[in-house]
Structures are given as structure tokens and as C-alpha cells.
Amino acid sequence: MSFSIAGKRGIILGIANRHSIAFGCAKVLHELGAELCITYLNEKSKPYVQPLADVLSPALFLPCDVSNPGELEAVFEAAEKEWGAIDFVIHSIAWSPLAELQGRLVDTSGDGFSKAVDISCHSFIRSAKQAERLMKERGGTLITMSYYGADKVVAHYDMMGPIKAALESSVRYLAAELGESKIRVHSISPGPMPTRAASGLAEFTLLMDAAIEHSPLHQLATPDDVGHMVAFLISDWAKAQTGSLIYVDAGHHIMA
């Protein structure tokens, strides 16, 4: 069986600009023949994503702020109307209040932590719920993005560490619950990359420098590298894999 994802249809959540991991995924999947629905956060962010949509030629280009009631559900309803069924969802969304992201975990507020969990973790669970009815006939793949800070303490990651740990645990439970419908669920853990989201971390340049120095391959992974892994996971070549946490970080996670 030759490798192919041509004709597979799916939703990509979280493109903010050309440096986004979500855009790296979308670009690779588009080049390999997948049909896409992509989203932008709001009208303020749309001008940054519109030129990327012009390149990707998605079947659907829709607003989606998962913190606004009904917007996420509307994306899946549009995909159902357009295609009837989907083959994949790529969830690349994370958020926390900047002041709390750069502060101590012990000082986080209940409201800030709750909203960060809702946007960064529960929105993936909600996506799985919406995708389930669109994948029941032939199965599909759900993928979200985590980070090494879910497992080890990373300086200045603080609030997001426990939230990403919850996301990784959610992947395992969703994989168990949805397996009977042939829906596969994975989390990918990219290494540090110069994305908009990562720029909110204090001393992020030092984190990238350390990753290059200590990783076995002495390099950073790229959004395209994540896209290549995503393409494999949504392909039929990965049909016996689910519930995995897969690192795309030049091997940095194995080093002490």
C-alpha cells in the first residue's frame, strides 16, 4: 500500500500566522492532497490568516474562538454541510493570561486557570464530541499539541504544565472511549519553536538555545516537521495506532 492522504477531509484549528504549528500542518496536508477547513480566531486576526488561506485554498475558512459559545460547534456544522463526514481534526490551540503564564503556578487565579483549561484542554474534548458524529461511518483521527512541560518542570512554563498534562491524559481517555468507532486520538509534543504562542514565555530564546545544545540532533524541529508526523498519523499507515504521545523535538525529551 502506497502512502497517501489525498482526498482526506478535515478541520485545522489554531492558525494564527505563517509561523504557527497549525499552518505547518495545513501546508503539508494541502501539499499531499487533503481537503481542509481552516479557522481564524476573530476579525482582528483574520488579516494575518487570510494570505495563508489564499495559499491553502481551503474548502471552508471560518472564524472560531472556542471561548465564544457556539463558534466551535458552527465549524463542525459547516464541515458536515460541506462534506457529510470528516477524516481528521488538528487542534493547535492554547491560551493563558499572560501575567499568570509568566508568574508562579501557586499564584494563579481560579478564573485564569479555569479559562486556560477550558480553551487549551476542554476545547479538544469538545472537538472530539463534535467530530464523533462525523467519523462514525469510517473512523478518523484527532490530534492535539502538547509540550514537554507537561511531564517535566520547565522554567517559566508554570500554569501551562498542569494544563498540558490534563490534555495528554484526555487524549488517552478519548482514545479508549472512541476506539470502537475507529476514531484514533493522539497528542504530539513539539520542541520549542518560535511561534506566536511561545513568544509569551519568559526567556524563550534561552529555552530554544538549550534545546539546540542538548538535543541529540542539535537542532529545533519545525512546524513542517510536525506536519509530516500529522500526515502519517491521519493516513491509513497509522491505522493501528491510538492514544500515543509522540515527540517531534529532535530527541530533546530523552536527555537528562
Side-chain angles (χ1 to χ4, degrees):
M1 180 176 63
S2 60
F3 177 85
S4 176
I5 61 166
K8 288 189 179 291
R9 298 165 170 172
I11 297 168
I12 299 182
L13 304 166
I15 298 178
N17 56 39
R18 65 185 180 89
H19 301 294
S20 298
I21 289 173
F23 176 59
C25 295
K27 183 159 61 73
V28 170
L29 299 187
H30 170 67
E31 290 168 352
L32 293 174
E35 298 180 43
L36 305 178
C37 164
I38 66 172
T39 67
Y40 56 94
L41 179 62
N42 52 35
E43 288 303 311
K44 183 178 179 181
S45 68
K46 187 176 180 180
Y48 298 96
V49 187
Q50 182 68 65
L52 309 179
D54 294 341
V55 172
L56 297 170
S57 301
L60 296 166
F61 181 50
L62 302 168
C64 185
D65 181 343
V66 298
S67 67
N68 289 337
E71 285 198 20
L72 178 65
E73 292 75 12
V75 171
F76 283 86
E77 289 168 6
E80 183 175 20
K81 184 176 180 180
E82 178 74 17
W83 294 318
I86 61 174
D87 300 293
F88 62 88
V89 176
I90 312 303
H91 173 277
S92 186
I93 298 173
W95 177 89
S96 74
L98 183 60
E100 297 192 34
L101 177 64
Q102 295 182 345
R104 301 190 307 166
L105 175 63
V106 73
D107 295 324
T108 54
S109 67
D111 288 345
F113 194 88
S114 296
K115 187 172 181 180
V117 169
D118 182 58
I119 292 174
S120 306
C121 177
H122 194 254
S123 66
F124 181 61
I125 299 171
R126 290 166 55 204
S127 297
K129 176 68 173 178
Q130 293 296 311
E132 183 179 16
R133 73 176 190 277
L134 304 183
M135 293 181 171
K136 279 190 173 179
E137 295 298 321
R138 58 189 185 191
T141 310
L142 310 175
I143 298 173
T144 190
M145 302 297 159
S146 188
Y147 179 59
Y148 179 69
D151 184 54
K152 301 293 183 181
V153 174
V154 174
H156 308 297
Y157 202 57
D158 298 298
M159 173 192 276
M160 289 306 298
I163 293 173
K164 290 295 190 181
L167 181 65
E168 291 181 6
S169 181
S170 298
V171 165
R172 293 187 287 271
Y173 278 87
L174 291 171
E177 293 174 356
L178 300 176
E180 289 186 1
S181 297
K182 302 301 181 185
I183 297 173
R184 298 176 281 121
V185 191
H186 299 284
S187 54
I188 292 179
S189 184
M193 297 178 189
T195 64
R196 179 184 176 187
S199 67
L201 298 175
E203 299 183 7
F204 185 67
T205 299
L206 297 179
L207 189 64
M208 290 193 294
D209 290 344
I212 293 171
E213 179 180 357
H214 296 294
S215 67
L217 298 180
H218 298 294
Q219 65 186 54
L220 296 178
T222 68
D224 282 10
D225 293 327
V226 179
H228 295 145
M229 179 57 68
V230 163
F232 168 72
L233 291 173
I234 70 174
S235 76
D236 293 341
W237 281 21
K239 65 182 180 180
Q241 293 177 249
T242 194
S244 300
L245 168 62
I246 300 172
Y247 290 92
V248 182
D249 66 350
H252 185 246
H253 68 283
I254 70 171
M255 305 302 292

